[in-house]
Amino acid sequence: LEERLWEAPALSDWVREGRGRFMLQSLPAAVVGRVVGPKQGDKVLDMCAAPGGKTTHMAVLMGGKGHVVACDRSKRKVQGISELAESQELQGCVEAMKADATKPMPPGIQVIAPFDRILLDPPCSALGLRPSLRPASAVSIEGLGQHVRYQKLMFARAVEALKPGGVLVYSTCTINPYENEGIVAWALRTFSCLSLSSQEDARVGGPGLECCGFTAEQ
């Protein structure tokens, strides 16, 4: 960028100056919280929460009444989530904790579990992000396979923390079916306690792909 065509203020400046009154979210990111559907008094786990937009959105949907545990393996990012929650006066509802979602939950989270609702929005290949400034050369078959392996580990941890009859929402920002339909099909084969639930009120987009062991009916 060499020269601005219009002297328009940056949206990020508006968010910063708004001090928590509003924040930017893409449509898919905004929909996810509503799909999770947290209710007042729920215990909610956001397993890969940074930077915290979905975490605070769910806390707002709960009216600030309940317990949202937001995890990230980076201490710096955990601090950022806490600061974001405080800026929106949600510190009484949101608790940010350092945790690696591929490993068993630390004691601080185990004592809160099981959770009524869990959001697993894991690191992914991000092939669905638009606009994307990443060159095509940055994507490799090996890298795509590594994402799938990590996502399966995280999914297993999520099932361990979920309350019987609870809701687990798995979401990504990629269009790679092996990370989407493939993971869900694998989970249904692996964990007999899981079943698919229809996405109703907040439904956006079309049906999933019939692939990776995922049937047309599913």
Side-chain angles (χ1 to χ4, degrees):
L1 179 64
E2 296 180 355
E3 183 181 355
R4 287 187 178 187
L5 295 179
W6 296 279
E7 287 300 322
L11 289 176
S12 57
D13 292 341
W14 288 6
V15 172
R16 191 180 307 111
E17 294 170 4
R19 299 183 182 278
R21 291 195 297 272
F22 60 89
M23 66 180 299
L24 301 177
Q25 276 191 312
S26 65
L27 177 59
V31 166
V32 166
R34 295 188 177 277
V35 174
V36 176
K39 304 292 191 297
Q40 290 188 359
D42 277 352
K43 290 190 294 184
V44 179
L45 176 63
D46 189 350
M47 293 184 63
C48 303
K54 298 182 185 73
T55 297
T56 52
H57 185 203
M58 291 189 291
V60 168
L61 292 174
M62 297 164 67
K65 298 178 180 178
H67 195 177
V68 182
V69 176
C71 302
D72 196 274
R73 65 180 184 177
S74 163
K75 182 178 180 181
R76 176 182 59 82
K77 291 182 179 179
V78 168
Q79 180 61 32
I81 296 169
S82 295
E83 292 173 356
L84 177 63
E86 185 174 355
S87 74
Q88 298 185 27
E89 299 182 355
L90 294 168
Q91 62 269 32
C93 178
V94 173
E95 183 176 9
M97 295 188 180
K98 185 177 182 296
D100 185 337
T102 65
K103 299 177 180 179
M105 297 294 173
I109 297 178
Q110 289 182 13
V111 298
I112 303 171
F115 291 88
D116 300 289
R117 299 169 193 270
I118 295 178
L119 171 59
L120 175 56
D121 189 357
C124 68
S125 55
L127 297 178
L129 285 181
R130 292 294 180 271
S132 177
L133 302 180
R134 183 176 56 174
S137 59
V139 180
S140 67
I141 297 298
E142 181 182 356
L144 294 177
Q146 187 175 38
H147 281 303
V148 170
R149 289 191 291 274
Y150 280 124
Q151 288 156 0
K152 287 181 177 179
L153 288 174
M154 295 179 192
F155 210 116
R157 301 286 83 82
V159 173
E160 291 172 355
L162 185 64
K163 169 184 179 179
V167 173
L168 168 57
V169 173
Y170 174 79
S171 70
T172 74
C173 58
T174 186
I175 55 174
N176 176 18
Y178 293 100
E179 298 178 70
N180 294 328
E181 288 87 353
I183 291 291
V184 176
W186 165 84
L188 293 173
R189 293 193 305 269
T190 305
F191 305 103
S192 60
C193 59
L194 295 182
S195 61
L196 280 178
S197 180
S198 61
Q199 181 182 331
E200 297 174 353
D201 294 343
R203 183 162 187 167
V204 174
L209 301 177
E210 185 180 352
C211 65
C212 307
F214 219 55
T215 68
E217 181 181 0
Q218 290 173 315

